Amino acid sequence: MSEFCKIIESELAMGDNLSIIRLIDELIKHAVSTNASDIHIDPNEKHLRVRFRIDGVLEDMCSLPHEIHGEVISRVKILSQLRTDEHAAAQDGRFRSIISDGGSVDIRVSIVPTYHGENVVLRLLSDHSENYTLDMLGFTKEDQTKILHAIKKPTGMILVTGPTGSGKTTTLYTLIKMLNSKEISIVTIEDPIEYAVTDIEQIQVNHRTGLTFANGLRSILRQDPDVIMVGEIRDTETANIAVNTALTGHLLLSTLHTNDVSTTLPRLLDMKIEPFLVSSTVNIAIGQRLVRKICEKCKTDKTLTEEEFKSIALNLSEGVLGNNRKFFIGKGCEDCNQTGYKGRIVINEVLVADEEIRKAILNKDSADEIKKIAIKNGMTTMLVDGFKKCLAGLTTLEEVLRVTRE
């Protein structure tokens, strides 16, 4: 039994003297110590199931008695200044928790009524992003050079694409911090603001007051910015304003929900943006996923059997696997909670909008055609980038296939 489980059991053993305050504090403290991104507290018929999302995967941590459900929910609502008498509507909030070593963590709260009562998801917003570099995130030297060239341009769009939880926001913040200097004005509009950045004006979307991405972006243009970051391009209106902003002497960074970079440009066309506007504004598109890193403490090499080799070859594009059979895995140890993984790294593809790509956009070519041109002109696909990181012993083939295949 882990030390954390022992602490929780000793708290629960106190019966009527149980401190809900201490219980919630211990949950948060342990989540921070394990680098968890989320705490899930889900009620079912008999107990409360507590899970942590560690390196993108949910892991069971402990169970709490159903009898304290109401007190747990009330404590979280009080901390995040939500209505304690409202049990039938979804509520969102935020609070800051002080950790015993003098540090603190900002926590975003989501409470939703379910069949067995209200559940809670706590998102831990750590400030680790302050220390990230493109190198630490996992970008190759070649891709770093492409990105640095794009962010040095005074105008145009830089788009980061991928599904929810693929690290897009962290990449955007890393780029913003690289651009941050006293000579330029940087303004962001986000929903929500995940990290506070010194010397940058950050605006929070507020739908109740009509402050949407589109309206906020219009207001930002009157703030004399040089660089603008829009949390996400969700609709045609925001896309139109973003493109026109990039045309009128601003560098604009944003995210889009697409599967890969080659579908990003046709996606903008689907949003009713004219092809000539897309071709003249997009500088670069970065597609990415997060994969778990092999734990360094229990890393060991593994040679694929003939059966494994054939099975994996079926899932990889022709020629990617080659004759490589020696890879690495994590055996599982105390340091990685027996998972074999610790930490995460980006696998990515970077599409530069060169002359040939711009012509393809003007011709409204398909995503497949754009991808072929990009690969011909030197783009490393996400799958190939992931494969290279497997050979380097950073991650496993299973992880790469997990995030790049349906």
Side-chain angles (χ1 to χ4, degrees), residues 109-286:
V109 179
S110 172
I111 298 176
V112 175
T114 68
Y115 183 74
H116 291 292
E118 292 170 286
N119 85 329
V120 180
V121 176
L122 306 176
R123 164 64 58 91
L124 280 64
L125 304 170
S126 70
D127 279 331
H128 295 320
S129 69
E130 286 186 9
N131 310 316
Y132 282 137
T133 61
L134 291 176
D135 196 41
M136 285 169 65
L137 290 175
F139 287 91
T140 62
K141 297 294 181 198
E142 294 82 1
D143 285 342
Q144 285 181 51
T145 303
K146 292 174 186 175
I147 294 167
L148 287 170
H149 181 68
I151 65 173
K152 282 178 181 172
K153 292 184 178 179
T155 63
M157 288 175 72
I158 293 169
L159 297 171
V160 184
T161 76
T164 302
S166 58
K168 299 188 299 295
T169 305
T170 301
T171 299
L172 276 188
Y173 274 106
T174 302
L175 297 179
I176 283 291
K177 283 167 186 168
M178 289 165 66
L179 286 164
N180 196 7
S181 71
K182 63 182 181 181
E183 290 85 17
I184 64 170
S185 167
I186 301 176
V187 186
T188 76
I189 179 158
E190 306 167 61
D191 184 21
I193 295 170
E194 296 211 11
Y195 311 111
V197 185
T198 309
D199 298 329
I200 286 176
E201 302 303 322
Q202 294 175 273
I203 300 166
Q204 166 79 50
V205 164
N206 189 333
H207 295 285
R208 280 177 294 184
T209 61
L211 182 55
T212 60
F213 277 122
N215 291 338
L217 192 44
R218 285 192 188 96
S219 301
I220 285 171
L221 289 171
R222 294 191 284 272
Q223 293 274 309
D224 185 33
D226 297 295
V227 178
I228 300 169
M229 181 182 114
V230 181
E232 186 186 341
I233 294 175
R234 294 178 181 171
D235 51 50
T236 300
E237 188 183 12
T238 308
N240 262 304
I241 303 166
V243 166
N244 282 297
T245 299
L247 270 178
T248 54
H250 302 87
L251 183 65
L252 186 132
L253 292 79
S254 191
T255 68
L256 263 178
H257 281 284
T258 59
N259 286 333
D260 55 27
V261 289
S262 55
T263 54
T264 301
L265 305 173
R267 174 85 181 99
L268 288 171
L269 300 181
D270 290 343
M271 288 177 155
K272 305 292 188 288
I273 309 297
E274 291 293 336
F276 77 91
L277 290 175
V278 176
S279 72
S280 56
T281 53
V282 176
N283 293 341
I284 200 167
I286 303 164

Side-chain angles (χ1 to χ4, degrees), residues 2-65:
S2 70
E3 193 62 36
F4 169 66
C5 291
K6 288 176 186 173
I7 291 169
I8 296 299
E9 284 208 352
S10 66
E11 283 290 341
L12 295 173
M14 296 178 77
D16 292 342
N17 294 320
L18 167 67
S19 168
I20 296 293
I21 293 173
R22 210 161 43 232
L23 186 72
I24 298 296
D25 286 348
E26 283 297 335
L27 281 177
I28 294 168
K29 183 180 168 185
H30 188 63
V32 170
S33 72
T34 56
N35 287 323
S37 61
D38 301 84
I39 302 171
H40 288 239
I41 304 174
D42 302 314
N44 59 33
E45 201 171 350
K46 295 178 181 175
H47 59 263
L48 301 179
R49 182 188 189 191
V50 178
R51 294 180 293 170
F52 290 177
R53 189 176 291 281
I54 301 172
D55 295 334
V57 178
L58 281 171
E59 295 180 24
D60 280 320
M61 284 294 145
C62 63
S63 291
L64 302 176

